[in-house]
Amino acid sequence: MPGLDKQKDNKHLHDLERRSREGLFICNGCKEIGFGNCYKCPWVWFCDYVLHVGCISEGRTPLSNSLFKNCEFQFYQTNPSTVAPACHICALDIQGRVYRCSKGKYSLHPYCATLQTTFSLRDSDMKIKLRRGTKLNFFKSKCLKCDRKNRSSNDVQCLSYVSSDGNLCYHVACMKEACRDNWNKGYFRPGSETNEQSKFLALQNLAPKEVLSSVGQTSEVSLITFLKLVVYAILGEPFDLIAPLFQFSQN
């Protein structure tokens, strides 16, 4: 069962070992980004096979999700459909392993299926919630990345992390893309230089429409705290690597 130190995977020759990996990786199972805990092939000198903990094939049991009432999701190593479905959380295409509901109505990336619906940190009073906007109840604000209230693909709407007061919003898909972009630019890499300028550039990439200074002003605290919560909710609290990006010297 997932959680053991070693696991077998039907699509790989060698047993996989549970490890904590610094930096982002692309899961060989679902083709999505991951961070931290994973299952990796120990033959590292010629194999870079890595899976999210939630993408391991052995011991996978049906899953329920509070966002989808009366649905039981079954895990599949390959898509049982003839077309690539869109994930009903991030609205991005599912290119690999998938959870499909028993009614055949919903599909989820295994990684998205485990995202917390409510998230907070001990050092913050702010909470964020994973929510779906509706025609009658769109969010107060636009996504901090794409500057839109709604993002969808083939009529599948992307869910958003929203602040408690509803004034801050971030699409799950936009944050996934922003995290990968920051990784490609070197901001989320182990050993990368973390100075005030790199912090500013990384945050500006997360919220390009906002006016951010390189020093944390009081008016920016809520925004930066919100971004921190969404990044941690998506990546799984990568404290040591990314936490310095959200720490600013004060005047």
Side-chain angles (χ1 to χ4, degrees):
M1 295 179 63
L4 300 177
D5 291 336
K6 290 189 177 182
Q7 285 282 358
K8 295 182 181 296
D9 186 73
N10 295 339
K11 297 293 185 180
H12 193 66
L13 177 64
H14 307 117
D15 288 353
L16 305 178
E17 296 181 351
R18 182 161 180 152
R19 297 185 179 180
S20 181
R21 181 162 170 166
E22 288 192 352
L24 300 185
F25 62 84
I26 303 299
C27 174
N28 288 93
C30 68
K31 317 305 180 187
E32 290 289 299
I33 62 170
F35 186 95
N37 289 333
C38 62
Y39 280 102
K40 192 175 187 315
C41 180
W43 298 84
V44 293
W45 49 90
F46 66 85
C47 181
D48 196 35
Y49 192 83
V50 60
L51 296 175
H52 291 122
V53 172
C55 283
I56 200 76
S57 59
E58 289 293 309
R60 196 47 60 188
T61 56
L63 174 145
S64 60
N65 188 298
S66 60
L67 296 169
F68 304 92
K69 304 296 184 182
N70 302 317
C71 286
E72 186 176 77
F73 288 87
Q74 187 69 42
F75 181 81
Y76 293 91
Q77 288 196 80
T78 57
N79 177 23
S81 176
T82 55
V83 295
C87 172
H88 281 77
I89 288 181
C90 71
L92 298 175
D93 287 346
I94 297 175
Q95 303 293 341
R97 300 182 184 188
V98 58
Y99 273 107
R100 288 273 289 174
C101 80
S102 55
K103 300 177 183 178
K105 186 177 181 181
Y106 302 112
S107 300
L108 305 176
H109 287 120
Y111 192 70
C112 289
T114 62
L115 291 178
Q116 297 184 49
T117 55
T118 301
F119 186 79
S120 61
L121 293 171
R122 287 175 294 178
D123 62 353
S124 171
D125 294 330
M126 182 182 289
K127 289 185 179 181
I128 58 174
K129 292 187 176 182
L130 188 60
R131 293 179 53 193
R132 180 188 295 106
T134 66
K135 292 181 179 180
L136 298 177
N137 184 30
F138 270 120
F139 309 127
K140 296 179 184 177
S141 59
K142 298 177 181 179
C143 171
L144 289 169
K145 181 65 175 178
C146 71
D147 201 35
R148 293 179 293 171
K149 289 188 176 182
N150 185 36
R151 174 172 175 168
S152 60
S153 174
N154 297 324
D155 296 324
V156 175
Q157 184 181 338
C158 178
L159 274 62
S160 303
Y161 274 112
V162 183
S163 60
S164 302
D165 58 12
N167 290 326
L168 296 170
C169 171
Y170 216 116
H171 294 134
V172 172
C174 290
M175 182 54 77
K176 285 171 130 183
E177 293 167 353
C179 286
R180 186 180 296 202
D181 190 32
N182 270 345
W183 167 259
N184 290 335
K185 292 179 178 179
Y187 304 137
F188 284 7
R189 289 181 182 271
S192 60
E193 183 181 4
T194 306
N195 53 36
E196 296 305 311
Q197 181 66 11
S198 67
K199 293 175 187 179
F200 168 72
L201 292 173
L203 287 172
Q204 195 70 67
N205 188 48
L206 293 175
K209 299 292 183 179
E210 299 297 319
V211 178
L212 294 167
S213 67
S214 60
V215 178
Q217 304 295 329
T218 302
S219 60
E220 298 173 352
V221 171
S222 293
L223 172 62
I224 293 174
T225 300
F226 175 76
L227 291 173
K228 177 180 179 180
L229 289 172
V230 180
V231 169
Y232 284 16
I234 297 293
L235 294 185
E237 301 184 36
F239 294 107
D240 293 339
L241 180 60
I242 297 177
L245 295 177
F246 301 99
Q247 297 170 356
F248 287 83
S249 57
Q250 301 291 330
N251 285 336

